[in-house]
Amino acid sequence: MVLNSFDETNPPRRELLDDCVHCGFCLPTCPTYLLDGKEMDSPRGRIHLMDLADRGEVPLDATFARHIDGCLGCMACVTACPSGVKYDRLLEATRPQVERNVPRAPADALFRRLIFSLFPYPNRLRAATVFGLLYQRTGLQRLLSRLLPPRLRALDGLLPPVRLRALFSRTPGFVPARTERRLRVALLAGCAQRVYFGHVNAATVRVLSAEGCDVVVPPGQPCCGALSMHAGLDSDAARRARATIDALGDLDVDAIVVNVAGCGSTLKEYGELLRDDPDYAEQAEVFASKVRDVSELLASLTPVAPRHPLPTRVAYHDACHLANAQRITAEPRQLLSTIPSLTLVDVAEPEICCGSAGIYNLVQPEPAERLGRRKAENLLSGRPDVIATGNAGCLLQISRHTGDADVPVVHPVELLDASLRGDTSILRTARRTQP
């Protein structure tokens, strides 16, 4: 008789499985349950499936993998659960089990290999994007996009409008505080972030400097491992975490600032990820304790830089790994509220994921598209002039599904930067491109 379908490497813990009383409070917050109403595609349904596997009553097979793969990992259920069920820990333990024990179909395995041989490497991503620009500008995109299979069509749709000059721009390695120095911080440059959203990094540095921070941006930063961790590639995530600690951990800084929600939530979990590594466990805990989202850090500082009015209506989208994983919701709104003449508009279903979720919108394109359209409709229903969100994946996903509305989709720090500089051009820019 099989006693447990999981292997012995960090299986879901029995005490965490037993915490779930299957009350159903998670159901209204779960994006995949809202789409189709299937119990096994809800948090409590997936926990039940994990429980059966732990008891050896179901195998780790393609059916099991399909339900686990279908989860976005948005963690809205964690914030909604009255019993304090740690679904995030259960999912983080289960996904590596799937990756190790359930063979992928050849096409699926090849596509995932393509993703992880490209996105964690900024130079490779830049080279691929150059070909993408040619694809856009020669008209091939218009001719071929509808003929592509769903996953490649999703990849095609997420390619942002970017100029060649901006693609190869670099953030300075050090920018001093423009006022009396209050902090010395390091900025995580990110992977796709530094390639597609270098303007967000630049805005982040300008705002931090204006608010009294010396900013260090070490060159040659590696991928932090966020994509790998969220996809269940725990060994790869741990390897990248060690490299990131080696690159940033010895810096004499008060904080490590991150402007990508998914990266920030992963860096804050380095202590858990490397808890069994005798060489890095202690370093990882210290490192994680220094990590701050840019909104979190700025909200802790009394503003000193003068703000200029930005007469605009802003719909703010809570990125899941900021709101649910890091429990940061008030701080971005607090920062935006310091901008004169800026009005925040209410958004329906704020807790529902936009469908980005790491690589989810690439490997699960159909539900991701439905969620993206749903999120776009909710954001646009308040008739905003601008949409703001604090995560690179969300910026790409929401831009894709709001494109026809000609409403700029920006990072909140860009709005703050525009206010500090007295530059209202951001309000006139539809389908945001890099300067």
Side-chain angles (χ1 to χ4, degrees):
M1 179 179 178
V2 177
L3 298 179
N4 194 318
S5 297
F6 295 122
D7 64 35
E8 296 181 355
T9 304
N10 189 32
R13 289 157 50 192
R14 167 48 54 188
E15 63 269 26
L16 298 185
L17 292 169
D18 289 341
D19 283 340
C20 180
V21 297
H22 304 281
C23 64
F25 276 90
C26 59
L27 300 183
T29 68
C30 177
T32 52
Y33 182 78
L34 289 182
L35 287 180
D36 297 312
K38 294 180 180 178
E39 179 67 21
M40 296 310 293
D41 287 326
S42 72
R44 73 178 183 183
R46 292 185 177 106
I47 291 175
H48 179 61
L49 196 60
M50 296 173 196
D51 178 72
L52 292 176
D54 185 66
R55 299 177 189 277
E57 296 179 24
V58 298
L60 298 192
D61 58 9
T63 299
F64 183 94
R66 184 172 68 252
H67 293 297
I68 300 302
D69 287 347
C71 177
L72 292 109
C74 70
M75 305 308 163
C77 57
V78 176
T79 59
C81 180
S83 301
V85 175
K86 294 181 173 62
Y87 180 81
D88 51 345
R89 295 288 183 240
L90 291 170
L91 184 66
E92 287 168 5
T94 302
R95 281 202 156 139
Q97 294 281 339
V98 169
E99 292 304 314
R100 287 193 298 268
N101 298 302
V102 183
R104 297 281 182 188
D108 186 21
L110 180 62
F111 186 72
R112 289 170 183 266
R113 197 174 302 123
L114 170 66
I115 290 173
F116 285 99
S117 65
L118 182 62
F119 283 91
Y121 302 95
N123 287 336
R124 296 181 192 179
L125 197 55
R126 286 189 182 95
T129 304
V130 170
F131 288 104
L133 290 172
L134 293 173
Y135 169 69
Q136 286 178 333
R137 295 176 182 180
T138 57
L140 285 175
Q141 186 176 39
R142 291 191 300 273
L143 292 174
L144 300 179
S145 59
R146 294 188 179 185
L147 302 177
L148 296 172
R151 285 182 165 181
L152 290 180
R153 190 162 61 247
L155 186 60
D156 170 86
L158 291 169
L159 183 65
V162 54
R163 294 176 183 170
L164 196 61
R165 177 171 58 86
L167 191 64
F168 292 93
S169 65
R170 293 290 190 274
T171 305
F174 175 75
V175 176
R178 285 170 47 194
T179 61
E180 181 181 353
R181 192 182 82 172
R182 295 195 278 180
L183 294 173
R184 180 179 173 88
V185 303
L187 176 68
L188 183 83
C191 298
Q193 181 75 1
R194 78 183 82 169
V195 176
Y196 296 136
F197 298 104
H199 56 288
V200 175
N201 282 351
T204 300
V205 170
R206 286 193 295 266
V207 170
L208 289 170
S209 173
E211 292 293 0
C213 297
D214 283 349
V215 187
V216 181
V217 188
Q221 296 180 37
C223 171
C224 71
L227 285 182
S228 300
M229 187 170 177
H230 299 154
L233 302 175
D234 54 351
S235 296
D236 188 62
R239 176 177 63 83
R240 296 184 185 281
R242 295 184 194 99
T244 301
I245 292 171
D246 289 342
L248 301 176
D250 290 334
L251 295 174
D252 181 20
V253 294
D254 300 296
I256 298 166
V257 178
V258 188
N259 56 16
V260 182
C263 297
S265 69
T266 297
L267 266 64
K268 289 181 177 181
E269 293 182 18
Y270 273 6
E272 176 69 16
L273 179 63
L274 299 176
R275 66 189 182 280
D276 296 325
D277 187 324
D279 296 324
Y280 280 86
E282 185 175 350
Q283 293 181 67
E285 288 284 358
V286 173
F287 185 95
S289 71
K290 288 187 173 184
V291 177
R292 300 288 185 275
D293 182 76
V294 61
S295 66
E296 182 183 16
L297 182 86
L298 289 170
S300 71
L301 299 174
T302 302
V304 294
R307 273 75 165 152
H308 298 87
L310 285 183
T312 187
R313 290 166 53 83
V314 177
Y316 176 73
H317 164 65
D318 286 288
C320 296
H321 279 90
L322 196 58
N324 302 327
Q326 300 183 58
R327 306 296 177 97
I328 295 174
T329 56
E331 291 87 341
R333 293 172 171 84
Q334 178 182 333
L335 290 180
L336 292 173
S337 70
T338 67
I339 300 175
S341 302
L342 184 148
T343 301
L344 283 170
V345 301
D346 291 333
V347 175
E349 296 185 330
E351 74 282 359
I352 301 303
C353 181
C354 69
S356 174
I359 66 168
Y360 188 90
N361 53 358
L362 298 177
V363 297
Q364 302 280 342
E366 191 274 335
E369 182 162 346
R370 292 165 65 191
L371 288 169
R373 289 176 178 173
R374 183 170 182 153
K375 177 58 66 176
E377 290 173 3
N378 285 330
L379 289 168
L380 294 172
S381 65
R383 302 182 65 82
D385 303 309
V386 178
I387 295 169
T389 187
N391 186 58
C394 300
L395 286 167
L396 292 173
Q397 174 81 343
I398 293 171
S399 294
R400 179 188 180 191
H401 293 286
T402 59
D404 292 340
D406 284 345
V407 175
V409 183
V410 303
H411 194 289
V413 79
E414 291 184 87
L415 291 169
L416 187 54
D417 175 56
S419 174
L420 296 185
R421 292 188 293 123
D423 181 5
T424 60
S425 64
I426 192 172
L427 308 182
R428 300 190 300 271
T429 305
R431 290 292 287 171
R432 175 71 170 165
T433 59
Q434 295 184 11

